[in-house]
Every structure is written in structure tokens, then in C-alpha cells.
Amino acid sequence: MDTQTIIQRLEANGLRCTPQRFSVMSFLLEHPEHPTAAEIFEAVNSADPRSSRATTYNNLRDLVEAGLIREVAVEGRAARYDAKGEQHHHFICDRCGNVEDIEWYTVPGPQKSSLGKRVVRECELIVRGLCTACAPRKRSTN
Ligand SMILES: [Zn+2]
Ligand SMILES: [Zn+2]
């Protein structure tokens, strides 16, 4: 995504394009492996040492609230961030905590009767297990 598109996206969602906000957004677009806030801060800070931890965290929160990025909560570990535009599901590895994308498909939602007055925005899936690196290798049979 080019600079102009990032600026337009931010502004279309009511966010001023500050240099720090821009760095957070472009770092996330270049790193689809779901970095943590600490990793994002480290990268943004090494490019521009004036950016503070608090600013980075506030920018992440603003971007999540504006719907430009997603926060993927992983129990017991730091939240991960994702700027991928298309809808997708997530796979979370029990062992290493890796968060990977799974191609989107429509998940049957909960029964209407169990929702009461709740309004569903979306229904996404988190698949848990062992990632390719952590899964036990199949022993060859010969
Ligand atoms: Zn793993
Ligand atoms: Zn993702």
C-alpha cells in the first residue's frame, strides 16, 4: 500500500495522519505475522526515536477503534495486531503462541434464541492447536 493510500485510509476514518500513526500503520501492513504492541513500538521507535511507548499504544487503540486494524487477543500472552484488510479467521498455536491467518469462510452463527437482544457484528473463528513448526513430525513408515 502506498503512502497516499495509507493517509487517505486514516483520514477517511477520522484519524489525523501523524508521523507516528503513519509508521504504526505502515509497519503493520508490511508485517502480516501479527506483531505485539511491544514489537511495533520497537520498530517504530528505531525508525523515529521521538515516538514514545504511550503514543504507540494510543495509536494502536485509535486504529483498532477506527476499524483499520484488528486486535487479536491471545490468553496469557500479549495481544497481536493485524492490518490485513480482508476478513479472515485465526489459528493460534498452543505451544509457541504464533498467530496465523486462515482463509475466510462463513461460520454458522449462534442460534437466535441464545442471543436475546444482542446484536451480532461478525462471527469469527479462532482455531487452536499446534502450528506447522510445533506439530509432531509424522514418522515415515518405511
Ligand atoms: Zn507453534
Ligand atoms: Zn490475521
Side-chain angles (χ1 to χ4, degrees):
M1 193 176 293
D2 61 69
T3 307
Q4 206 50 42
T5 315
I6 296 178
I7 296 172
Q8 277 168 5
R9 273 229 205 162
L10 289 169
E11 288 176 350
N13 286 278
L15 294 176
R16 211 156 45 83
C17 184
T18 63
Q20 287 89 353
R21 206 169 263 161
F22 180 84
S23 325
V24 168
M25 194 64 198
S26 59
F27 178 78
L28 274 170
L29 286 164
E30 284 159 20
H31 293 83
E33 67 275 11
H34 308 89
T36 62
E39 286 163 352
I40 297 162
F41 169 67
E42 216 170 283
V44 169
N45 187 258
S46 70
D48 178 6
R50 289 165 305 168
S51 62
S52 72
R53 190 175 291 267
T55 309
T56 304
Y57 284 54
N58 288 341
N59 281 328
L60 283 169
R61 194 202 51 213
D62 294 342
L63 291 166
V64 170
E65 281 174 6
L68 283 164
I69 64 170
R70 280 166 71 187
E71 186 177 325
V72 188
V74 187
E75 296 89 3
R77 299 181 199 252
R80 310 288 205 99
Y81 295 87
D82 187 331
K84 187 170 173 172
E86 313 98 72
Q87 270 189 310
H88 59 279
H89 298 296
H90 285 114
F91 179 95
I92 301 179
C93 179
D94 288 337
R95 187 173 295 169
C96 68
N98 235 7
V99 178
E100 294 167 354
D101 291 340
I102 293 181
E103 208 178 303
W104 178 259
Y105 62 95
T106 307
V107 183
Q111 299 289 325
K112 272 213 168 81
S113 58
S114 68
L115 284 170
K117 291 198 167 128
R118 297 181 190 99
V119 177
V120 175
R121 178 167 48 84
E122 63 176 9
C123 190
E124 65 165 72
L125 211 61
I126 290 184
V127 182
R128 293 171 198 286
L130 296 173
C131 73
T132 312
C134 296
R137 277 167 226 275
K138 281 203 185 99
R139 254 179 248 140
S140 92
T141 43
N142 31 330

